[in-house]
Amino acid sequence: MALRTIVTVGDPVLSKVCRPVTDFNDRLHELLDDMTDTLLESGGVGLAAPQVGVLRRVVVIDLDEDGILELVNPTIIHTEGEQDGVEGCLSVPGKWGMVKRPESVTVEAQDRDGQRFQITGTELIARCFCHELDHLDGHLYTEKVYRFLTEEEIAEMNREDNGEDKS
Ligand code: ZN
């Protein structure tokens, strides 16, 4: 396991469409392990493979006490409702913005061994599913922001130490 470098906005890798994973092998497991290490080190909520320069459909999400969720070849199969919230991204340092997302999102994906499963997330996790899956298609949350936070609002948010939603 090892830390990988997180690429930032301006790197062309972030605007490319990722390829599906077809081989559930040691190489995939190493990528997942490294992405988990990198996510935990960064303090973010989620991380997509293109953010570490790998154009594969792989995402890891920190579910807090429920551990790390690994999503391989994920697709959104159902959404419900709507929420407004603050979003940031490990690949877009120093910026935060308001984005509308569904309140509840169900994803179908494969695990590291290729087994299919479905998982539903609400609130922060629903937001994270949308944000990370967008990365796999070369999209950044900044394209969906309807208002960026001001420096004052960011300072206020950091003082309160909530709203942490970097992915
Ligand atoms: Zn992101």
Side-chain angles (χ1 to χ4, degrees), residues 39 42-47 51 60 62 86-96 124 127-128 131-132 135 141 157-158 163-167:
L39 176 64
S42 73
V45 181
L47 185 69
Q51 294 184 275
V60 293
D62 187 351
V86 177
E87 246 168 85
C89 179
L90 295 167
S91 295
V92 190
K95 281 199 176 184
W96 299 85
L124 174 62
R127 177 172 292 285
C128 194
H131 179 120
E132 300 310 331
H135 273 298
Y141 87 98
M157 191 176 68
N158 289 339
E164 288 289 326
D165 190 10
K166 275 198 237 178
S167 38

Side-chain angles (χ1 to χ4, degrees), residues 33-45:
D33 290 343
D34 288 356
M35 284 174 63
T36 291
D37 281 358
T38 307
L39 176 64
L40 293 174
E41 170 75 16
S42 73
V45 181

Side-chain angles (χ1 to χ4, degrees), residues 33-150:
D33 290 343
D34 288 356
M35 284 174 63
T36 291
D37 281 358
T38 307
L39 176 64
L40 293 174
E41 170 75 16
S42 73
V45 181
L47 185 69
Q51 294 184 275
V52 295
V54 177
L55 288 172
R56 288 287 178 180
R57 303 189 79 81
V58 175
V59 163
V60 293
I61 293 173
D62 187 351
L63 296 179
D64 226 353
E65 60 260 37
D66 291 327
I68 297 289
L69 173 66
E70 299 177 340
L71 299 173
V72 180
N73 299 331
T75 54
I76 291 173
I77 56 170
H78 184 70
T79 66
E80 252 179 70
E82 190 176 77
Q83 60 170 319
D84 275 299
V86 177
E87 246 168 85
C89 179
L90 295 167
S91 295
V92 190
K95 281 199 176 184
W96 299 85
M98 299 296 296
V99 186
K100 281 190 199 297
R101 300 285 193 186
E103 174 62 21
S104 168
V105 174
T106 302
V107 167
E108 182 173 294
Q110 286 167 281
D111 68 13
R112 59 167 56 209
D113 298 313
Q115 286 294 325
R116 288 190 183 280
F117 66 97
Q118 292 182 2
I119 183 165
T120 299
T122 59
E123 299 176 355
L124 174 62
I125 300 306
R127 177 172 292 285
C128 194
F129 283 165
C130 296
H131 179 120
E132 300 310 331
L133 268 64
D134 278 349
H135 273 298
L136 302 182
D137 289 319
H139 295 296
L140 295 177
Y141 87 98
T142 48
E143 300 164 31
K144 298 187 173 169
V145 167
Y146 62 86
R147 186 176 73 78
F148 283 99
L149 299 199
T150 62

